[in-house]
Amino acid sequence: MNRKRSKLLVIIGFINFFFGYTQDKPEVTKEYANEISTIIKSKAVQLAMNTIDSLDEQTIDNMVMLTEIPAPPFGETKRAEKFKDLFIASKVDSVWMDSEGNVLALRKGEKRNKLVVLDAHMDTVFPQETDVSVKKEGNTYTAPGIGDNTRGMAMLIAVLDGMNKASIKTDADIVFVGTVGEEGLGDLRGVKHLFSANSDIKIDSWISIDGGGVGRIINGGLGSKRYKAVFKGKGGHSWGAFGLANPHHALGNAITLFVEEATKYTQIKGPKTSFNIGRIGGGTSVNSIPFESWMEVDMRSLSPKRLLEIDSIFKRSMKNAEIKYNSSGVENKVTLEIIPIGDRPSGTLDKNTPLVQRAISVTSFFNIQPKLSTGSTNSNIPIAKNIPAITISRGGKGKGAHSLHESWTNINGTESIKMALLITLAEAGLAQ
Ligand SMILES: [Zn+2]
């Protein structure tokens, strides 16, 4: 063992002793362990954490109240209005809704040297008519969307209340954000807007609270591209118009071509890449040549390069299938249209990024095993732009996300709120 390494082990040993770390946890650098312990020693921060504990019931009331306002994709406005009211009641420097429908609440810093966002998405996967009334049994709350992600929304208010009660001042501006369109066909429209040229704010650091078990820190964005491919033709009688170009036949060829090429590609060694034809449809009856045939395709990859490559394999296969079918001697022609229905970029944030290190340190401080992972969340957008971003957990115990029997149980629920507070404060800097 060289001297440098033995010195390092002594430091890790000290940290283990100090924070109760074990060696199998991700390495915490001394710099960030010290930073977090300094923040925790602050009287104001202690008061903020105690406030979060004493607000436990209030936070749960907010969670229940917000859950009972339906927020389907593209229908978040009512819930957003209520979220805005909660920020006004808790007091911030300004609160507004942007042109995409996101709610933004600005808490100004002393230096205003950077801007840190703490985000929770407001939408659910459930249609407007879904029964979203919350059922309570002991400390378990059951309703669609409760853990994913209204718990996250309620946590934002608790973090803000804790900071206000303790009159905490930060160097950086903090913007609490409720985003629209995180789920499904929302396709991250809220966060995409916030990182576009039309955004009202310029974001330096992004922290999302979204689902997940305690200790999970997402620092990788799993990218995906989704399309609807549509072959169209004239349509006609199966006997009378026999010989006419048939969109189903063309689609069948297209599937064969794509699956062959994509299978070969995904078998090449490299970051995991997947493809899936999830839905196909079209046609009116067994004895009609359909006028339309369509399929929906989802492709994912951990690597941005591989995502682009499988994307081009898909488009090329469709085009080639169209050409081949139309030159096969059929009467008339089919046409092909490829409609994008989803686009989430991929990427990974270096685990030595200060924000990731801060999340690891804070998680370890609570004696929880930090787990770095990859996911498909709002953080995909900043991560793909190499802007520091993580998605942390809403804590407690969640079950059945995206199902009608989704539940969230208040087991140490305030712990994750305190973790969110500490990570945010570390990233924003406590003002002297
Ligand atoms: Zn979610």
Side-chain angles (χ1 to χ4, degrees):
M1 197 186 295
N2 62 37
R3 273 181 68 176
K4 218 169 154 191
R5 179 149 166 78
S6 67
K7 213 168 157 191
L8 186 71
L9 284 180
V10 169
I11 293 166
I12 292 169
F14 168 73
I15 293 168
N16 285 342
F17 168 74
F18 195 67
F19 285 130
Y21 294 0
T22 60
Q23 300 263 348
D24 60 327
K25 291 180 183 175
E27 236 171 73
V28 183
T29 56
K30 193 182 170 204
E31 185 187 351
Y32 294 102
N34 286 343
E35 181 189 77
I36 299 304
S37 78
T38 306
I39 290 173
I40 286 166
K41 277 180 203 147
S42 143
K43 283 218 165 73
V45 174
Q46 288 291 335
L47 176 59
M49 293 206 287
N50 292 339
T51 304
I52 286 168
D53 277 330
S54 65
L55 286 174
D56 192 18
E57 249 175 75
Q58 175 68 49
T59 305
I60 286 183
D61 288 349
N62 286 339
M63 171 185 79
V64 170
M65 188 257 297
L66 290 166
T67 303
E68 292 185 336
I69 307 169
F74 302 97
E76 302 98 334
T77 313
K78 259 188 137 178
R79 184 181 284 187
E81 292 284 1
K82 193 72 219 177
F83 201 32
K84 205 174 136 213
D85 291 344
L86 289 176
F87 283 119
I88 292 168
S90 290
K91 293 200 171 50
V92 275
D93 289 299
S94 54
V95 54
W96 72 100
M97 206 181 279
D98 70 14
S99 59
E100 191 67 35
N102 300 307
V103 173
L104 291 86
L106 165 68
R107 194 180 190 277
K108 283 184 189 167
E110 297 293 296
K111 290 188 187 159
R112 311 203 68 185
N113 51 342
K114 62 176 185 173
L115 191 153
V116 177
V117 163
L118 185 61
D119 154 75
H121 71 81
M122 303 186 291
D123 57 319
T124 71
V125 295
F126 304 97
Q128 181 72 34
E129 60 276 12
T130 309
D131 178 7
V132 285
S133 54
V134 177
K135 283 146 208 87
K136 181 180 191 284
E137 228 188 299
N139 59 349
T140 297
Y141 301 81
T142 304
I146 193 146
D148 183 12
N149 192 35
T150 29
R151 176 65 191 170
M153 293 174 72
M155 287 168 69
L156 258 55
I157 301 293
V159 168
L160 174 63
D161 286 342
M163 289 176 68
N164 284 349
K165 179 83 203 268
S167 305
I168 286 177
K169 291 191 184 341
T170 55
D171 289 334
D173 283 351
I174 297 174
V175 180
F176 297 84
V177 174
T179 35
V180 292
E182 191 273 340
E183 302 282 7
L185 294 181
D187 200 31
L188 308 183
R189 69 188 178 97
V191 63
K192 280 179 181 172
H193 176 83
L194 288 165
F195 284 95
S196 76
N198 301 323
S199 177
D200 297 343
I201 52 173
K202 203 199 148 289
I203 301 162
D204 299 295
S205 287
W206 177 273
I207 303 160
S208 278
I209 300 174
D210 192 357
V214 186
R216 181 215 59 186
I217 301 160
I218 292 176
N219 69 325
L222 174 59
S224 62
K225 279 183 178 286
R226 294 170 180 170
Y227 295 97
K228 182 171 188 175
V230 188
F231 285 92
K232 283 182 179 162
K234 221 173 133 193
H237 195 279
S238 63
W239 174 257
F242 177 63
L244 190 66
N246 182 319
H248 276 342
H249 299 182
L251 183 82
N253 286 340
I255 290 176
T256 306
L257 254 183
F258 171 53
V259 171
E260 269 174 19
E261 292 296 314
T263 302
K264 267 189 250 161
Y265 181 73
T266 51
Q267 282 167 350
I268 300 168
K269 230 178 141 71
K272 183 174 173 180
T273 305
S274 71
F275 64 93
N276 181 61
I277 297 168
R279 302 207 310 150
I280 57 177
T284 49
S285 75
V286 67
N287 55 347
S288 300
I289 298 165
F291 57 83
E292 184 180 90
S293 182
W294 57 264
M295 66 172 168
E296 287 178 358
V297 181
D298 162 89
M299 294 168 284
R300 300 177 180 224
S301 182
L302 291 170
S303 137
K305 183 168 166 275
R306 284 182 49 108
L307 189 57
L308 281 179
E309 281 167 355
I310 194 149
D311 183 75
S312 70
I313 288 171
F314 167 71
K315 286 176 180 154
R316 199 170 59 232
S317 309
M318 294 304 108
K319 198 71 207 151
N320 285 344
E322 182 198 14
I323 294 166
K324 204 173 150 206
Y325 184 72
N326 281 335
S327 58
S328 68
V330 287
E331 230 177 87
N332 244 289
K333 278 183 181 358
V334 291
T335 59
L336 164 70
E337 195 187 353
I338 296 176
I339 307 159
I341 55 172
D343 184 5
R344 299 181 175 215
S346 56
T348 305
L349 198 65
D350 192 305
K351 73 168 194 266
N352 293 317
T353 308
L355 179 58
V356 180
Q357 286 294 319
R358 286 171 176 141
I360 290 171
S361 288
V362 168
T363 308
S364 304
F365 175 81
F366 283 87
N367 268 320
I368 294 162
Q369 168 75 66
K371 287 176 276 281
L372 294 179
S373 74
T374 300
S376 184
T377 67
N378 271 343
S379 293
N380 276 44
I381 300 299
I383 287 173
K385 291 176 185 290
N386 219 13
I387 293 169
I390 50 170
T391 298
I392 54 175
S393 155
R394 46 82 173 116
K397 194 169 171 22
K399 264 189 185 166
H402 292 200
S403 81
L404 292 173
H405 54 266
E406 180 175 359
S407 69
W408 182 81
T409 302
N410 189 14
I411 299 171
N412 279 334
T414 58
E415 191 173 59
S416 291
I417 307 177
K418 290 182 260 183
M419 285 164 65
L421 168 80
L422 293 173
I423 295 166
T424 307
L425 290 181
E427 190 66 7
L430 271 185
Q432 296 307 315

